[in-house]
């Protein structure tokens, strides 16, 4: 009951660490992984003023389907069988042309296993968003 990757495109708002591009989140190979180039809620230095700017940045991944699809769950796997990158809180949204509407908020303990996030019902969607609300801070990614 999966949606073939040929039926959707994807993007994210935090960039990617070289070698861990977003495409690896969808390649169905649990030995590869996606890593955002930006951590959630980090302080950023403005390059022109040298001022520290506190951001309320949350990483998210958007999926746009070629046609409307029915979805009721999402399978998630952390980095290569570790807990790295596992969201302990996430928001799921859909958009059918009327703006983003939240499907659910999920909180869970870290795990290195595959997890099925069940939405509780089936949604007919054109776009889907997976938002990382909380990821443990000891999982900082440093670009090479």
């Amino acid at each position: 009951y999966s949606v073939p990757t040929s039926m959707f495109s994807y993007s994210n708002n935090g960039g990617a660490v070289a070698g861990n591009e977003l495409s690896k989140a969808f390649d169905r190979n649990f030995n590869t992984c996606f890593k955002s180039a930006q951590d959630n809620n980090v302080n950023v230095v403005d390059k022109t003023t040298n001022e520290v700017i506190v951001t309320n940045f949350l990483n998210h991944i958007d999926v746009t389907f070629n046609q409307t699809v029915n979805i009721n769950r999402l399978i998630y796997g952390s980095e290569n069988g570790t807990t790295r990158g596992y969201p302990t809180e996430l928001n799921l949204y859909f958009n059918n042309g009327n703006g983003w509407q939240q499907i659910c908020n999920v909180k869970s303990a870290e795990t290195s296993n595959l997890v099925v996030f069940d939405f509780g019902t089936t949604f007919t969607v054109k776009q889907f968003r997976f938002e990382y609300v909380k990821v443990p801070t000891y999982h900082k990614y440093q670009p090479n």
Side-chain angles (χ1 to χ4, degrees), residues 2-138:
S2 66
V3 178
T5 54
S6 62
M7 290 187 60
F8 61 88
S9 60
Y10 41 82
S11 63
N12 75 313
N13 64 337
V17 172
N20 298 103
E21 293 77 15
L22 183 56
S23 61
K24 293 185 178 180
F26 300 98
D27 65 4
R28 299 173 193 242
N29 178 350
F30 294 107
N31 294 313
T32 65
C33 64
F34 157 69
K35 294 180 186 178
S36 175
Q38 168 125 13
D39 289 323
N40 279 4
N41 300 318
V42 295
N43 295 339
V44 191
V45 176
D46 183 311
K47 292 179 182 178
T48 56
T49 65
N50 265 351
E51 290 181 54
V52 174
I53 302 166
V54 178
T55 65
N56 292 319
F57 179 82
L58 295 179
N59 276 286
H60 66 254
I61 297 172
D62 291 340
V63 176
T64 302
F65 299 99
N66 298 346
Q67 61 191 43
T68 56
V69 297
N70 294 322
I71 60 172
N72 60 10
R73 62 187 169 261
L74 171 77
I75 296 176
Y76 186 88
S78 295
E79 179 183 347
N80 302 330
T82 70
T83 60
R84 186 174 209 151
Y86 186 85
T88 55
E89 183 176 353
L90 60 103
N91 289 329
L92 303 172
Y93 300 87
F94 74 92
N95 182 357
N96 287 333
N98 298 321
W100 292 104
Q101 298 176 30
Q102 190 169 349
I103 293 172
C104 61
N105 170 271
V106 178
K107 295 177 182 174
S108 97
E110 287 181 90
T111 181
S112 60
N113 296 319
L114 293 177
V115 175
V116 176
F117 293 112
D118 190 322
F119 306 157
T121 190
T122 299
F123 293 91
T124 302
V125 304
K126 180 73 173 164
Q127 284 187 298
F128 176 78
R129 175 174 283 174
F130 181 98
E131 182 179 62
Y132 293 80
V133 177
K134 289 184 182 171
V135 177
T137 56
Y138 54 86

